[in-house]
């Protein structure tokens, strides 16, 4: 729990501990349960992935080089004040890596797995990292995971759960505004009715229910007559490429039909593949909802023409659909 950035105000429930006495229970199962954020744990939004300050400097230096090569953090941007010691550099690199990897995944962060690095790193609460020697210097280079940002979380069931967990009306308005955009509509956060926000923050709210609401095209938003399922440019190209393969494997359309001109970049390929997948799915079931069916793990969205025409895409690779 401590290495998940949490603390126990009342200790571990006895019945929970008894479950993990059983020989068939695994470390992976434990992590899955802790990632679900059970109510008996208090989690710190200022928790961060940091270097283990008891580790050898040489080992920490090696892990910095390894993490820099993973592609989630540009190590040329390490601030000057974070080059004072190898631990300051590691704190910045590890923290930025973990935060960025979490932001680019449509799943809950995995501190016990993704902030471990053979025991040279750990995910700890602010109460722990502020006990480091020379804490004021160390704090300059620590990158907390922070609260979910409604402007950047995935427009997906997981993203909605993240914002729901904040119980913040302003944040949920921003998320719903983005969900409207991902349904080929437009509505600023200020336009979202309070009752819609309250419903989205209720205990029985789901992404599916929000999708159903937006598919009905409520009057408080404006809606385009033409849209397209396109890749989200905020994602990594390698992740989008993996989703192309996933879509092609579903058998909804023949990926060998992708035009040569749409193979010039992963984004053009994705635009044609995602768009064709959604169009073919719609032809078999005209009741499917764009927010769900053109989500593709959070890596795609169904947007209006005035949005996709501004994207760096070959427009002949965009599969237009009348809404």
């Amino acid at each position: 729990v401590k290495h998940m950035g949490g603390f126990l105000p009342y200790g571990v429930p006895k019945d929970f501990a008894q479950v993990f006495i059983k020989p068939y229970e695994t470390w992976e199962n434990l992590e899955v349960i802790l990632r679900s954020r059970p109510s008996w744990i208090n989690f710190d939004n200022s928790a961060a992935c940091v270097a283990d300050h008891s580790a050898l400097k040489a080992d920490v230096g090696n892990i910095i080089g390894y993490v820099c090569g993973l592609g989630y953090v540009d190590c040329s941007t390490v601030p000057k004040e974070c080059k004072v010691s190898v631990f300051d550099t590691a704190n910045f690199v590890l923290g930025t890596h973990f935060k960025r990897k979490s932001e680019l995944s449509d799943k809950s962060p995995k501190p016990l797995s993704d902030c471990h690095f053979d025991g040279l790193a750990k995910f700890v609460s602010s109460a722990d990292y502020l006990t480091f020697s020379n804490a004021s210097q160390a704090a300059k280079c620590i990158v907390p995971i922070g609260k979910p940002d409604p402007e950047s979380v995935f427009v997906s069931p997981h993203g909605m759960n993240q914002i729901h967990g904040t119980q913040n009306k302003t944040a949920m308005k921003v998320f719903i505004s983005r969900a409207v955009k991902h349904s080929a509509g437009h509505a600023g956060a200020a336009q979202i009715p309070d009752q819609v926000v309250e419903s989205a923050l209720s205990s029985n709210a789901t992404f599916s229910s929000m999708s159903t609401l937006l598919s009905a095209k409520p009057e408080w938003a404006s809606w385009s007559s033409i849209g397209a399922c396109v890749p989200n440019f905020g994602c990594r190209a390698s992740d989008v490429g993996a989703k192309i393969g996933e879509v092609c494997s579903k058998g909804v359309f023949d990926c060998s039909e992708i035009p040569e001109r749409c193979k010039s970049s992963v984004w053009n390929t994705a635009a044609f593949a995602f768009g064709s997948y959604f169009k073919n799915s719609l032809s078999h079931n005209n009741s499917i909802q764009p927010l769900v069916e053109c989500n593709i793990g959070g890596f795609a969205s169904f947007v209006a023409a005035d949005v996709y025409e501004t994207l760096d895409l070959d427009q002949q690779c965009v599969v237009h659909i009348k809404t």
Side-chain angles (χ1 to χ4, degrees), residues 177-321:
S177 175
R178 293 178 62 215
V180 170
K181 184 178 179 180
H182 285 214
S183 303
H186 296 284
Q191 296 174 249
I192 313 298
D194 288 340
Q195 62 267 33
V196 173
V197 177
E198 289 167 5
S199 176
L201 290 172
S202 66
S203 59
N204 60 349
T206 64
F207 189 71
S208 178
S209 62
M210 180 180 292
S211 176
T212 300
L213 169 67
L214 298 184
S215 292
K217 299 187 177 181
E219 294 181 356
W220 45 263
S222 60
W223 303 94
S224 173
S225 61
I226 298 177
C229 185
V230 295
N232 289 333
F233 275 69
C235 303
R236 296 200 310 169
S238 58
D239 293 334
V240 172
K243 288 298 175 181
I244 294 171
E246 183 178 308
V247 165
C248 289
S249 69
K250 291 180 180 292
V252 176
F253 87 105
D254 186 355
C255 281
S256 67
E257 296 176 0
I258 297 175
E260 282 300 317
R261 69 178 299 150
C262 299
K263 297 177 182 178
S264 58
S265 75
V266 68
W267 305 105
N268 285 329
T269 304
F272 190 86
F274 294 171
S276 299
Y277 166 80
F278 180 72
K279 185 176 182 177
N280 286 7
S281 297
L282 193 62
S283 69
H284 290 99
N285 180 3
N286 61 11
S287 66
I288 64 172
Q289 300 167 352
L291 195 60
V292 173
E293 200 64 29
C294 174
N295 184 273
I296 310 180
F299 291 89
S301 52
F302 188 75
V303 296
D306 65 333
V307 175
Y308 64 69
E309 287 173 354
T310 66
L311 300 176
D312 186 17
L313 289 171
D314 182 335
Q315 292 300 308
Q316 292 191 42
C317 300
V318 176
V319 183
H320 319 276
I321 299 173

Side-chain angles (χ1 to χ4, degrees), residues 50-60 87 119-122 132-133:
V50 298
D52 184 342
H53 284 221
S54 66
L56 295 175
K57 290 183 178 181
D59 291 337
V60 173
F87 290 105
L120 296 172
K122 54 187 178 180
F132 292 165
S133 59

Side-chain angles (χ1 to χ4, degrees), residues 15 30 33 39 47 50 52-53 78 80 83 132 141 155 162-163 171 180-181 189 213 221 245 247 267 270 273 304 311:
D15 56 348
L30 175 62
I33 293 173
S39 59
V50 298
D52 184 342
H53 284 221
V78 177
K80 184 177 180 180
K83 297 179 180 178
F132 292 165
C141 305
V155 179
Q162 286 181 289
I163 302 305
V180 170
K181 184 178 179 180
L213 169 67
V247 165
W267 305 105
L311 300 176

Side-chain angles (χ1 to χ4, degrees), residues 136-148:
S136 60
Q137 166 61 29
K140 297 176 184 177
C141 305
I142 289 170
V143 183
I145 187 131
K147 294 181 179 180

